Amino acid sequence: MPKTQLSPSLKTALMLASVVIILAGIKTASPVIVPFILSVFIAIICNPALNWLTTRRVPKGVAIGLIISFVVLAGMWLANLVGKAVNDFSSQLPAYQAQLTERFGGLSNQLAEYNFPVELNQLTEYFDPGAAMNVVTMIVGGFGGVMANLFLILLTVIFMLTEASSFPKKLHVALDDADMRMAQIDQFLLSVNQYLAIKTMVSMATGTIIGLVLWAIGLDYWVLWGVLAFLLNYIPNIGSIIAAVPAVLLAVIQLGIGWAGGVVALYLVVNVVMGNAVEPRFLGKGLGLSTLVVFLSLIFWGWLLGTVGMLLSVPLTMILKIGLESNNSTRWLALLLGGEEQSAS
């Protein structure tokens, strides 16, 4: 019986229909998928520490116990500090809004003297600390909702770390490569591990530097702004702007416009140095994404997986790009996702 050949247009339609069905399934199952994705990211980030401990003859079970204990204690400490800061900031919000109105009243009068009249209500609407705090609450609350499944996430991480050493071999066998001849698989796994580990370390350094400098100048809730800078550093360009807005607004209210300008400079310097000097040195120049892809991935993963999808949008897109680069037939797609430096090389 002769095989029926599908036309190219029908193949394309079937492929698009399959993608829509898969995405609909992922969105429907996001309450289960999001904790699993977080577990994968935590396990990948913790894997270098596990390898470091096991190479120093620490038993694997003890090493996993130490890592999980550190993650739990650090997470509880951080959640306590951030939660307290969010609650305190919310309680102080009316006082901050009154101070902001007072400061902008003088600014409005000065602008009127130079024949540039601006209504006070317009200024307070554009620079509303309550609106900025809503963004912070949404981000922290999104993670808090997922962390309600903390026990499930930690249990999944433990099992993943236990089988981390055997996973590459299983992947080779699953893809009919029992003789370990497909170097693309190993390169893909290595690149994903390196990217997530380095990106996390750079993000931690970014959050730590910003938090300590804000503490040094006396800005309130510096721990909250440092954590926000750490989380949003996973989103290049856009994330640093979102992270800076509430800290700058609070600096205007608490310290004055001059210090607020210094806070803006702090965020600019730290993100430029980390994004243009530190990250390319460790990750390589060809691993970046175009600004358009970053923005579209933020919208897409946010729609698909919620707040956690927004924060992990760039790492998820980077994993997709690394996977496309590992295959010659899909490398052109990875090139479309890349930045200007990669397309020029």
Side-chain angles (χ1 to χ4, degrees):
M1 185 175 179
K3 295 182 178 179
T4 304
Q5 295 290 333
L6 298 177
S7 63
S9 58
L10 184 57
K11 286 182 180 179
T12 304
L14 288 174
M15 183 184 69
L16 292 175
S18 301
V19 170
V20 170
I21 293 172
I22 292 171
L23 292 179
I26 292 174
K27 187 169 179 60
T28 304
S30 60
V32 177
I33 293 174
V34 168
F36 176 74
I37 291 176
L38 270 181
S39 302
V40 171
F41 274 79
I42 294 172
I44 292 175
I45 291 167
C46 293
N47 194 50
L50 178 63
N51 293 334
W52 185 83
L53 289 172
T54 51
T55 53
R56 280 150 182 80
R57 299 183 179 179
V58 178
K60 192 171 186 179
V62 176
I64 292 176
L66 290 173
I67 292 171
I68 295 298
S69 299
F70 174 79
V71 170
V72 170
L73 292 174
M76 291 175 62
W77 173 77
L78 205 56
N80 181 54
L81 286 178
V82 173
K84 188 176 182 301
V86 169
N87 292 332
D88 290 348
F89 189 92
S90 299
S91 63
Q92 293 291 326
L93 196 55
Y96 286 143
Q97 287 175 330
Q99 293 178 29
L100 188 67
T101 302
E102 182 181 349
R103 286 187 181 275
F104 281 159
L107 179 61
S108 177
N109 293 333
Q110 290 180 357
L111 291 174
E113 292 178 2
Y114 291 99
N115 295 323
F116 192 73
V118 178
E119 292 293 333
L120 181 60
N121 292 335
Q122 291 180 335
L123 287 175
T124 53
E125 284 179 8
Y126 291 139
F127 298 93
D128 183 10
M133 197 59 196
N134 288 336
V135 176
V136 177
T137 305
M138 182 193 71
I139 294 170
V140 176
F143 256 98
V146 175
M147 286 304 168
N149 300 314
L150 182 61
F151 179 75
L152 176 63
I153 292 173
L154 291 177
L155 199 61
T156 308
V157 171
I158 291 172
F159 288 129
M160 286 180 176
L161 291 176
T162 303
E163 300 190 8
S165 58
S166 62
F167 179 73
K169 185 176 180 180
K170 289 180 180 179
L171 190 58
H172 277 278
V173 174
L175 297 177
D176 292 328
D177 185 38
D179 297 329
M180 305 283 186
R181 288 176 297 186
M182 290 173 60
Q184 295 96 331
I185 298 175
D186 297 323
Q187 183 60 39
F188 169 72
L189 295 175
L190 180 63
S191 298
V192 169
N193 273 278
Q194 287 180 341
Y195 171 77
L196 287 179
I198 293 172
K199 186 67 177 178
T200 300
M201 295 301 295
V202 171
S203 298
M204 288 178 64
T206 300
T208 302
I209 292 170
I210 288 176
L212 289 177
V213 174
L214 294 181
W215 167 78
I217 66 175
L219 189 67
D220 291 341
Y221 314 115
W222 55 273
V223 173
L224 179 60
W225 313 135
V227 171
L228 200 63
F230 160 68
L231 292 176
L232 294 180
N233 192 65
Y234 285 101
I235 307 172
N237 304 324
I238 306 169
S240 59
I241 297 173
I242 299 173
V245 169
V248 172
L249 283 177
L250 184 60
V252 171
I253 298 170
Q254 183 186 346
L255 304 175
I257 295 179
W259 280 106
V263 173
V264 172
L266 167 68
Y267 276 89
L268 285 175
V269 170
V270 171
N271 284 282
V272 166
V273 171
M274 291 295 180
N276 297 326
V278 177
E279 278 190 19
R281 179 179 178 184
F282 292 102
L283 292 176
K285 293 182 179 179
L287 229 67
L289 297 172
S290 73
T291 306
L292 176 61
V293 170
V294 170
F295 180 70
L296 294 179
S297 68
L298 182 69
I299 297 173
F300 172 74
W301 292 110
W303 165 79
L304 192 64
L305 300 175
T307 304
V308 175
M310 291 175 64
L311 292 175
L312 299 181
S313 60
V314 172
L316 288 170
T317 308
M318 276 303 310
I319 292 174
L320 177 64
K321 181 172 178 283
I322 291 169
L324 293 172
E325 284 178 340
S326 64
N327 193 318
N328 290 328
S329 61
T330 57
R331 194 164 293 167
W332 64 275
L333 285 171
L335 187 62
L336 292 178
L337 295 177
E340 293 181 2
E341 291 183 357
Q342 187 176 7
S343 59
S345 59

